Amino acid sequence: MRIATWNINSLRARMERVLAFLERHDVDVLALQEIKAKPEQLDLTLLQEAGYEVSAHGLNQWNGVALISRVGLRDVRTELPAVPTWPEDESGVIEARALSGVVGDGLRIWSLYVPNGRELDHPHYAYKLRWLEALRAEGQRDLAADPQARTVLVGDFNVAPEDDDVWDMAFFDGKTHVTEPERAAFQAVVGAGYADLVRPDHPGPGIYTYWDYQALRFPKKEGMRIDFLLGSPAVQAAVRESFIDREERKGKGASDHAPVVVDLEF
DNA sequence: ATGGTCGGTCTCCGA
């Protein structure tokens, strides 16, 4: 089974790229983030004609996650029960950051869009840390209930876990994505039993999944590795290969993130 | 100048 994650930065703007990506790489299950649409705004005709089922969770123009699957999509859940909703106060913004389904022979895949954090002194940063902690707690509970569970936590984590995961640490001094608390929160999810399925096959610096639209970051190879597929032990043992589709970042109409693909054989 | 760009509720905001 070939699974993938991709921050699409608007599904409506890139539906044809999604379809071409699925068919080019023969992808079975794709988790999307930042679909920036409510489900009723999506025209899913082409995907359905290509044999895919779709579940989308979007509440407004921000955020939004989706699952696209050709191997059956069932037991769909929106939002981790323990994950707090931003904000608890007056802004009225409603978030849609997590969606899961069971695909194929009992693989649960979560499509996750971790809060960005904005600035270190912004309330959104504390929200990001709380959100990651809630994810860790939920993931740990699930594995305690069934250590053999086939679970993947995939998506845009908005954290670069190691110095090698950004092009220049000096640039990120005082910025989000690389701070010790964010990295600790990410490692806590890993420590709960969900290992990075891609990194072992792609070591060293310069392995990125995101390049800012601004400042010619892509041609200058100045990116970040912030999109991950994390898997429970049963999934880790099933990994056969993985790759980042850098080609998808090229050309007019690209998302600012590249898809990440993992092959599993249970 | 660590700039330059995207998408969407579009002359602002969030990323």
Side-chain angles (χ1 to χ4, degrees):
Chain A
M1 181 187 298
R2 174 163 276 188
I3 66 175
T5 185
W6 191 6
N7 180 322
I8 195 64
N9 185 19
S10 171
L11 180 50
R12 282 174 292 176
R14 267 173 271 287
M15 190 62 83
E16 289 182 7
R17 271 189 180 254
V18 168
L19 194 61
F21 165 75
L22 289 168
E23 299 195 325
R24 182 167 72 251
H25 293 299
D26 199 22
V27 172
D28 294 304
V29 184
L30 172 62
L32 295 172
Q33 301 84 39
E34 282 203 84
I35 65 170
K36 292 187 172 179
K38 303 172 189 175
E40 62 267 27
Q41 294 176 304
L42 300 172
D43 181 355
L44 303 176
T45 309
L46 291 176
L47 283 170
Q48 289 163 347
E49 285 175 357
Y52 288 94
E53 299 173 38
V54 184
S55 180
H57 178 36
L59 299 172
N60 52 36
Q61 79 274 36
W62 309 122
N63 314 319
V65 286
L67 288 171
I68 297 173
S69 173
R70 66 147 62 119
V71 290
L73 182 56
R74 59 189 190 279
D75 188 22
V76 170
R77 300 182 202 168
T78 57
E79 301 289 355
L80 296 159
V83 171
T85 298
W86 163 266
E88 301 89 346
D89 55 21
E90 68 279 359
S91 97
V93 174
I94 299 172
E95 305 245 280
R97 294 187 173 275
L99 168 69
S100 81
V102 174
V103 295
D105 188 20
L107 174 71
R108 176 167 295 281
I109 179 168
W110 279 99
S111 181
L112 305 171
Y113 181 52
V114 175
N116 174 284
R118 302 184 187 174
E119 309 290 337
L120 298 190
D121 57 358
H122 193 285
H124 205 266
Y125 178 77
Y127 165 57
K128 178 182 194 173
L129 296 178
R130 289 203 311 277
W131 203 97
L132 282 166
E133 167 53 20
L135 175 64
R136 194 247 357 127
E138 183 76 11
Q140 192 161 320
R141 265 195 299 278
D142 284 358
L143 264 185
D146 178 11
Q148 302 306 313
R150 295 174 176 178
T151 306
V152 284
L153 309 175
V154 314
D156 179 355
F157 283 73
N158 272 313
V159 177
E162 308 282 346
D163 291 358
D164 273 354
D165 296 327
V166 298
W167 81 90
D168 178 11
M169 277 299 290
F171 177 80
F172 289 92
D173 189 28
K175 294 188 174 73
T176 60
H177 291 57
V178 301
T179 65
E180 188 279 329
E182 289 167 281
R183 286 178 167 181
F186 180 90
Q187 290 305 333
V189 177
V190 175
Y194 300 90
D196 187 333
L197 302 179
V198 174
R199 193 50 152 167
D201 289 334
H202 303 276
I207 308 295
Y208 304 135
T209 65
Y210 162 83
W211 300 259
D212 199 320
Y213 285 127
Q214 299 186 66
L216 300 175
R217 294 290 180 221
F218 185 66
K220 287 156 72 175
K221 304 186 189 306
E222 295 176 341
M224 307 173 74
R225 198 172 73 96
I226 56 177
D227 299 272
F228 299 94
L229 296 98
L230 308 183
S232 63
V235 177
Q236 292 162 37
V239 173
R240 291 298 173 265
E241 68 168 302
S242 65
F243 64 93
I244 298 165
D245 185 11
R246 276 187 81 263
E247 293 298 308
E248 191 51 63
R249 182 61 180 80
K250 296 179 179 176
K252 190 172 170 59
S255 169
D256 42 1
H257 294 249
V260 188
V261 182
V262 170
D263 283 333
L264 302 173
E265 194 178 320
F266 289 104

